[in-house]
Amino acid sequence: MEKRTRWLVRLLVRAATLLLCALPWLHASGNLPLCQETDYYFEYTECDSTSSRWRVAIPHRQASCRGLPEPVRGTDCTFSCETGEFLEMSSQQCTACAAGSYSLGSGVRFDQWDSIPTGFSSLATYMEPEGAGDESLSCNNSSWTPQGTHLESNRDECTVSLVYAVHLMKQGSVSFDYQYVDNNVFFEFFIQNDQCQEMDQTADQKWIKLTSNGEWGTHTVNLKSGTNILYWRTTGILLGGKPVKPVLLKNIQIEGVAYTSECFPCRPGTFSKTPGSSSCDLCPRNTYSGKGASSCTPCPETKYSEEGWSECKDRPLCSDKDYFQIHTACDSSGKTQVLYRWVEPKVCVEDGVTGAVTLPPSGEKEDCPPCNPGFYTHSSSTCLPCPPGTYSNGTTECQVCPGGTEPSLAYEYKWWNVLPRNIKTSCFNVANSKCDDMNGWDVAGDHIRSGVGGSDNDYLILTLRVSGFKLPTSLAGVTAGEFGRITFIFETICSADCELYFMMDVNRKSTNVVESWEGTKSRRAYTHIMTKNASVSYTWAFQRTSKPSDVRRYVNDIVKIYSITVTNAIDGTASSCHACALVSQEGGSSCVPCPPGHFIDKDTKQCQECPPDTFLSGHHIYSQEACQPCGPGSRSNKEHTACFSDCSFSHTDQNRTLTYDLSALSAVGSIMNGPSFTSKGTKYYHQFNISLCGAEGRKVAVCTDNVTDLSTKDLRSESASLSNYVESFVCQSTIIPADGRGFRMALSSQSISLADTFLGATVDTALNGVNVRADLFPETSESVPDIHFFYRSPQVTSCCERGRTAVITLRCSLEKGERGDLTVSSKCPAGTCDGCAFYFLWESSSACPICTDADYHAIEGACKGGTQDTLYVWNEPKLCTEGVSLPEKSSAPCEAVPLWLKVGIGGGAFMAVLLISLTCYFWKKNKRLEYKYSRLVMSANKECELPAADSCALAEGEGEENEDDVVYSSTPSLLGKLKAIASKKQVEGENSESVQLKSSQAERWVWG
């Protein structure tokens, strides 16, 4: 009661205030006419705390009339009408919408995009690093562009937001249709409140999933009551300068508004013929309508219109672009007819008009092409699949596979007289539906080709459905890495910006682009391997140009597919048989699966295990040649399905074996190079995740798209919900940092695999056609060789016709620690110079060999106090790790003078004494000879005559007796002595006879 009293008091105060303010106006309005219903409109006041409101009348023009209706209590704030109705404010009752209009009741829909509707705004920004100058001014012309039936985002690197604010009185939702085919564009949808705070949203609600070409997706998010500010934001990343494909947006519908006070008129080209409609229908072909139409008006005979047109156009003259050629089914005589048909719906004029072409005559017969492999001709007119267990090449009757063999199931389509039962064709256009009933592709004998379509920017779609895959019986027990593969041969002939997309949809979840080709491409083959046993749809979509136009300019731009082959198709047919394993060699024995890692012996037809360190190549397991040897430095897993490195390595060099333990490098390593910048300065990085050894052949490096958390947590659990992820030995993602473009978190895109197969590890610089470029990294100055790990990714791309390769070079560096440093070459900062061959350098102490006894040496100390110490030190420079440890310092007893030294000293002393003795003896002997010679000389020169001598020799004792008679006037020099000895020896040598000298007496001579 008290609360009601306070409310009445407030109401009286307000009424008194209004009365005082209105007195001057009331006096002046006495002469104004009474207000009519057309002079005012009704609105509700804001809801109060009790969810109540008032209905008040508001004049269109102030002071134009008098006698406005009094305010009355309005409906409840949460009140709303049903679809097809609106709230009639005068009676405050729900009323059905009139014909030619529609209503969503408590919602609002935007499906007319001739201009950006009221309430929407397009904001363009370019958030770039500081110091970029006025480059951001180039985004002033970027915006969401209305295209009649939809909105189109920008095609540049600017960040453009489409913003719409709505106030909901109750919980509601927003939904919209979109087309998002290019992962070079980041497309996000988020919601803010009136405080500019972002609402809580999951990653699935915020980041929009990719759609396939020509496919519209629908995104729905719940809204809270109150003010909701909706943002559709796109950001293009022009990597390589290729323009991005824009995001398309249409049919935005918001539920939860309190009421709709009026119905929306049908847009031109649509109509609603019954009252109470919740939507408008498109006008059929050859009719048109204006805004708010309840029916469509037929076009005159000389004009035409497509579905949903608001006006009719003059019919053009027929040309050779308005008809096409088809082949009929084979008749009983094996003939097919060539027929010409107008492109439907026919809009051109041909009869009696100058310059118009007419339809060429039809009916010319040609020989039917043979049946496709695995089919046989039935009654010369139709081709039927061979029964199970039989095979045919398409020209012969079906035959039963010989004993010991089984059919090779596959789809093999190389003749195109009729469309195979599991291939469908369609046509789709983003902006209209005029080609929806057309065939997107036409058969043409030895190929199938793109059809005419309704517009040059139509998507011409060809879809092949495969229910699943079935491995041959002999491989049924094998853990397969390949369940099947699709190979097709094609060519494109284009004069504009045509593009062919090859897409895949696994288990009907989402369609992803596998590869695409732009412009004219010569005849070539493309192969894609299926690594998962699941149902799959393969789709080819061809678009002549991405630019819409009502005039046909590129109708002669076509794509031809000559053959499509899918191996191991579960419901396929067989063109041949292959050998299988048998239970025994007895006749009639059935095929059995071989255990993993076994091949079929040629002689016994039974399973035998592959030799150690070999693997089975593909699905060919017949004969031991199917067991391929593993590369150097690798071994096979138990199933012999793959070769892997166990993170150990050995190398023999100069009779010494170097052993390596690389287990410290087994965990996934990452390197983020850069930064790099696009043409407009957007900063991005290339992140590489590397699994050096894998896990017994399994690839454990994971790269993901649309990652919002780049921490080291396990991404494998999240990958199922992400739009794209790859598992590999080496993979790459493009990272847009949060500070580079104003994102609230880092973004990841364009994840690709660089290494699906491990080839081997060796110190050689080449392996299986993969070479190491010596000029990319500086040469090592150490004597320990580098170890090269070689990988290959066989997946062919438009740029890499032989697939991608990767080489990881391990280099010994004790300073880097166990995990070391991963780097790329400064010459190729993106990790590659050509986009196909990738090179990495991993410097680590783990890349050094394990230490052995040959890596250290001993140093012996001096003998002190009868003890000698021995120290052990590493060879310098030390180039090994772990392994053996240095022995402890050792001590051993020793003598001050060793025995050998004693023997040496004794022997030396004896030899010294002997030499001295001999020297003295010969010196004395020489002195005697000198004396005798001098006596002889003195005797011979007496009075300058020499008497005849009886003998040259002196009698014994003669010299001694007269020794004192010899007088020396001076001591002879050493040189003189030597000369004398030499002369004496010469004389003795020349005179060999003995001469007797006679002398009567001794005389004294002085020898001067």
Side-chain angles (χ1 to χ4, degrees):
M1 184 67 180
E2 181 180 357
K3 183 176 180 181
R4 180 176 180 85
T5 303
R6 286 200 304 267
W7 179 80
L8 289 173
V9 170
R10 285 198 300 268
L11 183 61
L12 290 173
V13 170
R14 289 180 183 176
T17 303
L18 290 173
L19 181 61
L20 291 174
C21 296
L23 286 176
W25 179 81
L26 291 172
H27 178 73
S29 62
N31 300 324
L32 295 178
L34 291 175
C35 291
Q36 305 297 322
E37 291 186 0
T38 57
D39 295 329
Y40 59 88
Y41 63 95
F42 292 107
E43 274 195 5
Y44 283 122
T45 61
E46 292 291 335
C47 294
D48 57 22
S49 59
T50 62
S51 297
S52 300
R53 57 186 175 183
W54 292 80
R55 189 201 69 177
V56 297
I58 301 175
H60 292 293
R61 292 185 302 109
Q62 291 292 336
S64 60
C65 63
R66 59 186 175 86
L68 289 173
E70 295 295 328
V72 298
R73 183 177 292 275
T75 59
D76 187 80
C77 288
T78 60
F79 174 82
S80 61
C81 296
E82 299 294 330
T83 58
E85 297 179 339
F86 72 101
L87 183 63
E88 209 284 315
M89 294 293 290
S90 60
S91 62
Q92 298 193 72
Q93 298 292 326
C94 293
T95 306
C97 292
S101 63
Y102 71 97
S103 169
L104 300 178
S106 62
V108 59
R109 178 190 297 155
F110 301 95
D111 57 2
Q112 186 172 338
W113 303 101
D114 296 318
S115 61
I116 295 183
T118 303
F120 283 87
S121 59
S122 181
L123 305 177
T125 58
Y126 189 82
M127 301 179 182
E128 56 186 346
E130 295 181 2
D134 295 332
E135 183 70 21
S136 60
L137 296 177
S138 61
C139 290
N140 291 339
N141 296 325
S142 298
S143 66
W144 287 81
T145 307
Q147 300 290 343
T149 59
H150 61 274
L151 275 177
E152 183 179 285
S153 71
N154 56 308
R155 297 172 180 260
D156 52 26
E157 287 189 284
C158 297
T159 298
V160 181
S161 299
L162 181 69
V163 186
Y164 182 75
V166 62
H167 186 81
L168 302 185
M169 299 306 301
K170 59 181 180 179
Q171 290 185 348
S173 64
V174 57
S175 65
F176 54 89
D177 297 338
Y178 69 95
Q179 189 172 118
Y180 174 33
V181 298
D182 193 344
N183 60 5
N184 287 320
V185 179
F186 294 106
F187 182 28
E188 55 181 328
F189 173 74
F190 59 96
I191 308 166
Q192 291 182 349
N193 58 19
D194 54 358
Q195 303 297 320
C196 295
Q197 296 174 336
E198 188 170 336
M199 302 287 194
D200 292 333
Q201 289 178 265
T202 63
D204 289 340
Q205 293 175 329
K206 178 180 177 62
W207 298 104
I208 309 301
K209 294 182 179 180
L210 288 168
T211 62
S212 60
N213 285 13
E215 174 185 314
W216 286 95
T218 301
H219 191 74
T220 302
V221 178
N222 293 328
L223 301 178
K224 297 180 180 180
S225 59
T227 300
N228 293 266
I229 305 174
L230 314 179
Y231 288 84
W232 292 264
R233 187 162 76 173
T234 61
T235 302
I237 306 297
L238 299 182
L239 298 178
K242 181 180 177 181
V244 298
K245 295 185 180 299
V247 174
L248 307 182
L249 192 64
K250 69 175 183 178
N251 293 341
I252 299 176
Q253 182 167 321
I254 302 172
E255 297 285 349
V257 297
Y259 65 93
T260 300
S261 60
E262 61 180 351
C263 296
F264 299 97
C266 292
R267 64 181 178 87
T270 63
F271 72 102
S272 63
K273 62 181 179 180
T274 58
S277 297
S278 60
S279 62
C280 299
D281 299 322
L282 295 175
C283 286
R285 290 189 177 96
N286 295 323
T287 63
Y288 71 99
S289 70
K291 185 176 181 179
S294 59
S295 63
C296 298
T297 305
C299 293
E301 289 293 331
T302 58
K303 295 180 179 292
Y304 79 103
S305 71
E306 298 294 343
E307 187 180 42
W309 280 18
S310 60
E311 61 179 354
C312 299
K313 295 183 179 180
D314 293 330
R315 293 182 179 271
L317 300 180
C318 290
S319 66
D320 54 3
K321 298 179 180 180
D322 294 308
Y323 65 86
F324 59 96
Q325 171 186 310
I326 61 172
H327 291 76
T328 63
C330 292
D331 57 20
S332 57
S333 60
K335 298 289 185 179
T336 178
Q337 283 186 311
V338 179
L339 303 179
Y340 295 92
R341 294 287 185 267
W342 291 112
V343 175
E344 295 294 340
K346 182 187 175 185
V347 298
C348 63
V349 179
E350 59 168 321
D351 297 331
V353 180
T354 305
V357 301
T358 58
L359 197 66
S362 300
E364 180 181 357
K365 289 193 174 184
E366 297 177 351
D367 291 332
C368 286
C371 294
N372 281 310
F375 290 77
Y376 70 97
T377 305
H378 176 70
S379 302
S380 300
S381 58
T382 57
C383 294
L384 299 178
C386 287
T390 62
Y391 71 99
S392 170
N393 61 5
T395 60
T396 61
E397 294 295 324
C398 299
Q399 304 176 35
V400 178
C401 287
T405 64
E406 61 178 335
S408 300
L409 298 181
Y411 296 141
E412 297 181 68
Y413 302 133
K414 62 179 182 179
W415 300 109
W416 304 91
N417 187 52
V418 293
L419 207 61
R421 56 181 173 80
N422 61 336
I423 294 183
K424 305 297 180 184
T425 177
S426 60
C427 180
F428 175 83
N429 192 291
V430 173
N432 57 67
S433 58
K434 62 182 180 181
C435 80
D436 288 357
D437 298 330
M438 299 181 182
N439 287 330
W441 294 65
D442 298 318
V443 294
D446 64 342
H447 67 273
I448 185 171
R449 59 190 293 170
S450 54
V452 177
S455 305
D456 285 343
N457 64 332
D458 291 342
Y459 286 102
L460 307 174
I461 299 173
L462 183 72
T463 303
L464 167 63
R465 181 70 182 171
V466 181
S467 301
F469 298 89
K470 179 183 179 182
L471 294 175
T473 303
S474 301
L475 292 170
V478 178
T479 304
E482 175 185 334
F483 287 92
R485 59 177 60 193
I486 179 172
T487 302
F488 58 93
I489 300 174
F490 72 99
E491 71 171 333
T492 58
I493 304 172
C494 299
S495 59
D497 58 331
C498 73
E499 189 162 5
L500 173 66
Y501 301 90
F502 174 61
M503 299 174 288
M504 181 174 66
D505 178 11
V506 179
N507 290 334
R508 300 182 183 273
K509 289 186 176 180
S510 63
T511 302
N512 296 317
V513 177
V514 178
E515 190 57 77
S516 63
W517 299 266
E518 294 183 4
T520 299
K521 299 295 180 184
S522 59
R523 183 166 175 166
R524 62 189 62 195
Y526 178 81
T527 299
H528 180 75
I529 298 174
M530 190 66 184
T531 58
K532 183 178 181 180
N533 191 1
S535 62
V536 59
S537 292
Y538 297 109
T539 300
W540 295 263
F542 180 68
Q543 188 181 37
R544 292 183 170 91
T545 179
S546 59
K547 303 176 180 62
S549 175
D550 292 333
V551 181
R552 302 301 302 273
R553 295 188 178 94
Y554 310 114
V555 71
N556 293 324
D557 291 2
I558 60 171
V559 57
K560 297 180 180 180
I561 295 180
Y562 294 93
S563 66
I564 301 175
T565 302
V566 181
T567 62
N568 299 333
I570 193 170
D571 54 353
T573 57
S575 62
S576 61
C577 301
H578 59 262
C580 66
L582 303 177
V583 177
S584 65
Q585 293 181 271
E586 299 177 359
S589 179
S590 60
C591 294
V592 295
C594 283
H598 287 62
F599 66 95
I600 303 173
D601 185 82
K602 284 184 177 181
D603 300 325
T604 64
K605 304 296 183 182
Q606 294 181 337
C607 301
Q608 290 190 9
E609 186 175 3
C610 283
D613 295 334
T614 61
F615 70 99
L616 287 171
S617 60
H619 292 319
H620 169 60
I621 65 169
Y622 186 67
S623 79
Q624 188 170 346
E625 287 74 14
C627 303
Q628 300 292 321
C630 291
S634 64
R635 53 185 297 186
S636 63
N637 56 9
K638 296 179 181 179
E639 293 81 11
H640 293 272
T641 57
C643 296
F644 68 97
S645 169
D646 58 359
C647 275
S648 64
F649 183 77
S650 62
H651 169 63
T652 301
D653 183 22
Q654 298 179 353
N655 296 326
R656 180 189 175 193
T657 300
L658 303 177
T659 303
Y660 299 80
D661 181 9
L662 307 175
S663 57
L665 306 179
S666 61
V668 176
S670 296
I671 174 176
M672 185 179 290
N673 66 338
S676 300
F677 297 89
T678 63
S679 58
K680 277 202 171 185
T682 298
K683 181 168 62 175
Y684 67 93
Y685 298 85
H686 282 141
Q687 176 172 319
F688 300 93
N689 292 334
I690 296 176
S691 172
L692 185 68
C693 306
E696 293 194 1
R698 291 187 295 107
K699 298 164 282 190
V700 296
V702 180
C703 291
T704 59
D705 279 359
N706 294 339
V707 175
T708 58
D709 184 2
L710 296 179
S711 62
T712 56
K713 66 182 180 179
D714 185 16
L715 294 173
R716 192 182 304 273
S717 60
E718 297 182 356
S719 58
S721 62
L722 298 170
S723 58
N724 185 32
Y725 74 98
V726 294
E727 294 178 318
S728 180
F729 288 105
V730 183
C731 60
Q732 171 192 294
S733 294
T734 301
I735 307 298
I736 311 297
D739 60 350
R741 293 299 301 275
F743 296 118
R744 286 170 294 280
M745 58 199 72
L747 302 178
S748 175
S749 178
Q750 299 179 340
S751 297
I752 58 174
S753 172
L754 308 179
D756 293 322
T757 305
F758 175 61
L759 301 180
T762 176
V763 297
D764 297 330
T765 57
L767 181 64
N768 291 352
V770 183
N771 298 313
V772 177
R773 287 186 54 179
D775 61 320
L776 293 182
F777 300 105
E779 294 184 1
T780 177
S781 59
E782 311 296 350
S783 59
V784 175
D786 293 338
I787 307 172
H788 307 291
F789 277 64
F790 293 85
Y791 305 87
R792 184 188 297 277
S793 178
Q795 191 64 49
V796 176
T797 67
S798 57
C799 298
C800 306
E801 296 184 354
R802 300 181 61 184
R804 298 184 178 95
T805 61
V807 179
I808 304 174
T809 298
L810 305 183
R811 178 167 294 176
C812 174
S813 178
L814 293 175
E815 298 81 8
K816 301 292 186 179
E818 282 190 346
R819 287 292 295 173
D821 292 337
L822 260 172
T823 58
V824 294
S825 173
S826 59
K827 296 182 180 180
C828 304
T832 177
C833 296
D834 58 3
C836 300
F838 292 78
Y839 300 93
F840 306 90
L841 177 63
W842 200 335
E843 296 177 287
S844 165
S845 62
S846 300
C848 299
I850 297 176
C851 295
T852 63
D853 294 340
D855 292 305
Y856 64 85
H857 62 276
I859 299 178
E860 295 181 347
C863 185
K864 296 180 180 180
T867 304
Q868 185 182 39
D869 294 335
T870 302
L871 296 176
Y872 298 90
V873 296
W874 295 109
N875 298 334
E876 291 295 337
K878 182 185 177 184
L879 296 173
C880 65
T881 183
E882 298 182 349
V884 300
S885 302
L886 283 176
E888 297 292 334
K889 181 178 72 172
S890 62
S891 300
C894 65
E895 298 180 2
V897 181
L899 178 61
W900 62 269
L901 186 57
K902 292 180 180 179
V903 173
I905 294 173
F910 173 77
M911 292 300 297
V913 173
L914 179 62
L915 288 173
I916 293 172
S917 301
L918 288 175
T919 302
C920 294
Y921 171 76
F922 283 112
W923 180 82
K924 187 174 182 181
K925 188 76 173 177
N926 184 57
K927 294 294 289 184
R928 289 179 180 178
L929 288 176
E930 286 182 359
Y931 170 73
K932 290 181 181 181
Y933 179 71
S934 63
R935 291 289 302 272
L936 179 63
V937 171
M938 287 188 296
S939 299
N941 289 306
K942 186 179 180 182
E943 296 180 357
C944 299
E945 292 183 359
L946 287 174
D950 294 334
S951 175
C952 291
L954 296 176
E956 185 176 353
E958 181 179 358
E960 289 80 353
E961 294 176 356
N962 300 306
E963 185 175 1
D964 296 335
D965 296 335
V966 180
V967 179
Y968 292 92
S969 61
S970 64
T971 303
S973 65
L974 178 61
L975 182 60
K977 292 179 180 182
L978 293 176
K979 287 181 178 181
I981 293 174
S983 300
K984 181 180 64 173
K985 290 182 178 180
Q986 184 175 4
V987 172
E988 289 176 354
E990 292 177 355
N991 299 288
S992 58
E993 294 183 357
S994 175
V995 179
Q996 183 69 35
L997 297 177
K998 293 182 178 181
S999 175
S1000 58
Q1001 61 180 359
E1003 298 182 4
R1004 294 178 184 272
W1005 285 81
V1006 177
W1007 186 29

